[in-house]
Amino acid sequence: MLTIKTIGQVLKEKRTSLGLDLSEAEQLTQVQKLYIVALETDDYKALPGDFYIKAYLKQYAEKLGLNADRIIQAYDEGKGITVEEKEDVLETYHFVKPSERIEPEEEVSKTWRHYVPIISLSAAALLVVLGVFAAVIMNRPETPDLITNDYSYSKSTVSTSKSSTSSTKPSESSTQASSSTSEPTIAISGSSSAMIATISNISDPIKVDFSVAAGRTIWVGMTNSNVPATGQTLSDGANSLSALVTTGAENSVITLGSVEGLTITVNGKVLDLSSLTTTGPNKITLQINRTTSNSATQ
């Protein structure tokens, strides 16, 4: 029998069918309990904004094993979700208890039907993990090569300047000035859930690396970069992300579901996250002051 339910009803029924209370769901999905209650009651005004609503819907639906794209589409269209209710759902659930088995003939047919959803969800999850892993592997070679080349060039410049110190003093001082300006500096301001990191003396390419500690799941979004518009969730399956800031961009906004267990580096320099004290969501604005070729020469 087909029936139309709200997004919140679908989320809550799926959570309860998995035997999860709100605290267990919060630990599984890394979405705060008050946001889970808001999603399950369709109270979207309790969430920070449309961007976070979609991000939390996607993260929550995926962790519960639901079709996240279908959930997001229903939210965008402002419609309910058509679901099929089967009369034997409760009977299939009770089948797993040996004390409730009645006829051996029914056990054979129920066993196959009971494991079909589990096998389907496991296969879908495996494909997603393999896809993310393949994307990370394919995107990794270019960025390390760029950084290695830049570092080698800097080393060769310093070596050349040292070899010329025996001939003239002005050459040595200009080389030292050039070397000092090539080292990026990061100034931190702001607190609580919003932070500004002003990065000076840095040139393209600008690489931002994210890594998550074991057992943590964090959603990451980043503007003016090659990170997808819908962001990316980091967890044990894929616990790192390398992003490149768009060439010439003067700023980039990083949005995080949480900062616990997260490490961020910008061109190898660790970003101090201690001023972010809320559990989430958090925002980091990267203000970029690039080193020009003229200043490097002078």
Side-chain angles (χ1 to χ4, degrees):
M1 179 177 65
L2 296 178
T3 182
I4 298 178
K5 297 184 178 180
T6 66
I7 295 174
Q9 289 175 329
V10 173
L11 293 174
K12 184 175 182 179
E13 289 181 3
K14 183 62 176 179
R15 173 177 64 79
T16 55
S17 71
L18 294 175
L20 300 174
D21 59 25
L22 290 174
S23 298
E24 292 171 335
E26 180 181 43
Q27 183 177 5
L28 172 67
T29 64
Q30 296 301 310
V31 176
Q32 295 183 54
K33 190 186 299 183
L34 72 160
Y35 292 148
I36 291 178
V37 174
L39 292 176
E40 290 184 351
T41 57
D42 301 294
D43 183 14
Y44 300 119
K45 293 182 180 179
L47 283 89
D50 187 71
F51 177 82
Y52 293 104
I53 293 173
K54 291 183 180 180
Y56 287 142
L57 281 174
K58 177 179 177 64
Q59 186 170 337
Y60 192 36
E62 287 179 346
K63 289 297 183 179
L64 293 180
L66 294 171
N67 188 327
D69 292 335
R70 187 180 177 191
I71 296 290
I72 297 298
Q73 181 182 358
Y75 169 77
D76 287 335
E77 295 176 354
K79 298 179 179 179
I81 300 176
T82 302
V83 297
E84 181 178 3
E85 291 188 342
K86 299 180 179 180
E87 296 181 355
D88 61 343
V89 170
L90 183 60
E91 181 182 355
T92 303
Y93 172 79
H94 282 297
F95 164 73
V96 297
K97 297 182 179 181
S99 60
E100 295 182 6
R101 297 177 184 175
I102 300 175
E103 298 181 8
E105 292 79 11
E106 294 181 357
E107 181 177 351
V108 176
S109 61
K110 288 183 179 180
T111 300
W112 181 83
R113 294 176 61 188
H114 176 73
Y115 286 104
V116 166
I118 299 175
I119 295 173
S120 300
L121 291 175
S122 299
L126 180 60
L127 289 175
V128 171
V129 171
L130 290 176
V132 172
F133 181 76
V136 171
I137 294 299
M138 293 178 65
N139 292 331
R140 275 185 177 176
E142 295 182 3
T143 303
D145 289 342
L146 290 172
I147 294 177
T148 303
N149 291 339
D150 289 345
Y151 180 78
S152 300
Y153 174 77
S154 176
K155 292 290 287 185
S156 65
T157 303
V158 174
S159 177
T160 303
S161 65
K162 286 184 178 179
S163 65
S164 63
T165 54
S166 59
S167 59
T168 58
K169 289 287 184 177
S171 174
E172 177 182 1
S173 61
S174 65
T175 302
Q176 290 176 348
S178 175
S179 298
S180 64
T181 57
S182 65
E183 181 69 17
T185 60
I186 302 177
I188 302 298
S189 62
S191 61
S192 186
S193 63
M195 184 181 86
I196 299 176
T198 303
I199 308 172
S200 303
N201 300 329
I202 195 167
S203 58
D204 292 313
I206 300 174
K207 178 189 176 189
V208 182
D209 288 314
F210 302 83
S211 62
V212 175
R216 304 296 302 175
T217 299
I218 298 178
W219 180 87
V220 176
M222 184 173 178
T223 64
N224 291 334
S225 71
N226 59 345
V227 176
T230 56
Q232 184 168 331
T233 300
L234 304 181
S235 60
D236 288 343
N239 63 352
S240 63
L241 170 64
S242 294
L244 287 177
V245 177
T246 302
T247 301
E250 297 180 353
N251 60 70
S252 177
V253 178
I254 300 173
T255 306
L256 304 168
S258 174
V259 294
E260 295 183 11
L262 177 66
T263 301
I264 303 177
T265 61
V266 181
N267 279 13
K269 293 184 72 67
V270 177
L271 198 61
D272 184 5
L273 306 178
S274 60
S275 61
L276 297 175
T277 56
T278 61
T279 57
N282 297 275
K283 182 174 74 174
I284 301 174
T285 301
L286 302 182
Q287 295 288 357
I288 302 169
N289 298 326
R290 288 178 172 76
T291 301
T292 63
S293 57
N294 292 334
S295 63
T297 304
Q298 294 173 356

